[in-house]
Amino acid sequence: MSLKSFLYKALKYSNDVNAVKKGKVGKRVGRRVAGKATGKAMKKLFK
């Protein structure tokens, strides 16, 4: 695992913990799902 990928994963988990503390988990999960769906759609569009 490269340093860059390690940092990205560490920040992702840190932001997950922060969202739990602030009570905004649903919003974060919704954005993540929407982002993954958009990414898949773009992949199919430009394949």
Side-chain angles (χ1 to χ4, degrees):
M1 181 185 309
S2 69
L3 178 63
K4 183 178 176 181
S5 65
F6 172 75
L7 287 174
Y8 277 126
K9 285 182 183 183
L11 287 172
K12 184 174 86 169
Y13 293 129
S14 170
N15 288 332
D16 287 343
V17 170
N18 197 26
V20 170
K21 286 181 183 176
K22 291 186 175 186
K24 298 185 177 186
V25 178
K27 197 181 270 191
R28 182 166 172 79
V29 170
R31 285 191 187 128
R32 194 178 287 178
V33 169
K36 285 188 179 199
T38 302
K40 285 182 182 181
M42 296 298 270
K43 184 178 178 183
K44 286 181 183 179
L45 185 67
F46 291 106
K47 199 169 188 185

